[in-house]
């Protein structure tokens, strides 16, 4: 039996470093639905690599279309 593929994910707080804002700002944007591709695992929030790249280029907020799988 083969092992399942591991998804490419990053901690959500790494997105804060890209924009130069606090982690709390990114978590609030996620709660408002302005950041897509987030997966909660236990107490941690992770973002898919594709969604991370999308938001790193396009930003986040009301004026930015949300990332869809």
């Amino acid at each position: 039996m083969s092992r399942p593929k591991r998804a490419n994910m990053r901690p959500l707080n790494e997105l804060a470093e890209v924009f130069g804002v606090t982690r709390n700002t990114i978590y609030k944007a996620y709660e408002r639905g302005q950041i897509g591709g987030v997966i909660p695992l236990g107490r941690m929030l992770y973002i898919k690599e594709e969604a991370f790249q999308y938001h790193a280029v396009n930003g986040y907020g009301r004026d930015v279309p949300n990332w869809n799988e």
Side-chain angles (χ1 to χ4, degrees):
M1 199 160 143
S2 64
R3 298 180 116 188
K5 264 189 174 178
R6 189 161 193 209
N8 292 329
M9 297 185 296
R10 296 180 178 212
L12 182 59
N13 60 11
E14 286 186 14
L15 198 56
E17 296 171 10
V18 173
F19 296 117
V21 298
T22 64
R23 292 182 299 176
N24 195 35
T25 302
I26 294 297
Y27 294 141
K28 291 291 182 184
Y30 162 68
E31 289 173 1
R32 291 184 190 119
Q34 297 173 348
I35 297 177
V38 177
I39 301 169
L41 293 174
R43 294 176 53 191
M44 296 285 294
L45 293 174
Y46 289 90
I47 186 167
K48 294 180 179 181
E49 183 65 33
E50 297 87 9
F52 181 89
Q53 296 298 329
Y54 172 81
H55 287 295
V57 171
N58 298 311
Y60 66 95
R62 285 185 245 149
D63 301 333
V64 177
N66 204 351
W67 179 83
N68 294 319
E69 297 180 48

